Amino acid sequence: MGKQIPERYRDLRTFAFGDSPALADELVELVIKGIKTATCSTEDEPNTSTPGERWVVLDGRGEPCCVIESVEVTYRRFNEVDAAFAHDEGEGDRSLAYWRRAHQNYFGRLGRYSDDMMLMCERFRLVEVFGDAEADR
C-alpha cells in the first residue's frame, strides 16, 4: 500500500520532476534535503505554476513525497539562465555549465531544445515532507 496524501493537501495538483522514474527519485530527494529549490520547464508545459501555489511532488513510483510552494516564477530564454538559478536547481555540482549540459540533454530527449527556447523558471520552498521519506529510500 502506497503513502496517502494527507487530507489537507488532497485538492493540490501532483507532479514528478524529470522524465523517468530514476530522475524523479533523484530530484525529489534533492528537494527533501533542501538542496533543490528551483526548477524550470518549457513555457507551454501544463504544470505551470503561480507564486503561492502548492504542489504535491511524487517520486518515480508515483508515491507522494512532499509539498512545495512556488515563491517566484519568471520567464527567460535558455541562454539567459544564470549561475544563481543553476545553483538553486541543485543538480550535479550546481554549476551553470552542469545545468546547461543536463538541461540540453533533458530538453533534447523531449525534442524541444534550442539555445533561445523560452523557459518557465520557478523557485519554490519545501512545505512538508510526508512520513519518513528517508526511510522509504
Side-chain angles (χ1 to χ4, degrees):
M1 172 88 176
K3 286 186 264 182
Q4 297 294 311
I5 297 173
E7 184 70 39
R8 66 190 169 281
Y9 298 127
R10 295 222 173 114
D11 61 339
L12 300 182
R13 292 192 283 173
T14 62
F15 82 104
F17 289 105
D19 61 350
S20 69
L23 188 55
D25 285 346
E26 176 186 333
L27 298 180
V28 76
E29 199 61 39
L30 291 173
V31 170
I32 289 168
K33 290 177 178 174
I35 296 168
K36 181 174 183 63
T37 59
T39 192
C40 68
S41 59
T42 56
E43 66 176 330
D44 58 351
E45 143 117 31
N47 286 338
T48 56
S49 193
T50 56
E53 186 172 3
R54 291 182 172 187
W55 295 79
V56 173
V57 184
L58 309 174
D59 67 12
R61 297 176 308 281
E63 297 284 338
C65 293
C66 62
V67 172
I68 60 172
E69 181 180 308
S70 178
V71 295
E72 176 190 82
V73 175
T74 60
Y75 289 86
R76 59 184 104 163
R77 303 218 174 265
F78 183 93
N79 57 11
E80 296 170 344
V81 170
D82 60 17
F85 190 83
H87 181 270
D88 291 348
E89 280 231 30
E91 299 170 40
D93 65 5
R94 302 180 83 173
S95 70
L96 182 57
Y98 181 93
W99 183 92
R100 285 185 174 150
R101 278 193 311 277
H103 286 79
Q104 282 173 345
N105 290 337
Y106 174 75
F107 291 121
R109 288 194 304 272
L110 300 178
R112 306 292 301 275
Y113 175 74
S114 75
D115 205 38
D116 66 346
M117 67 188 293
M118 188 62 77
L119 298 176
M120 181 193 77
C121 297
E122 176 182 0
R123 285 188 164 88
F124 56 83
R125 69 179 188 89
L126 181 61
V127 174
E128 184 175 334
V129 177
F130 300 148
D132 189 351
E134 295 295 317
D136 293 342
R137 303 259 175 258

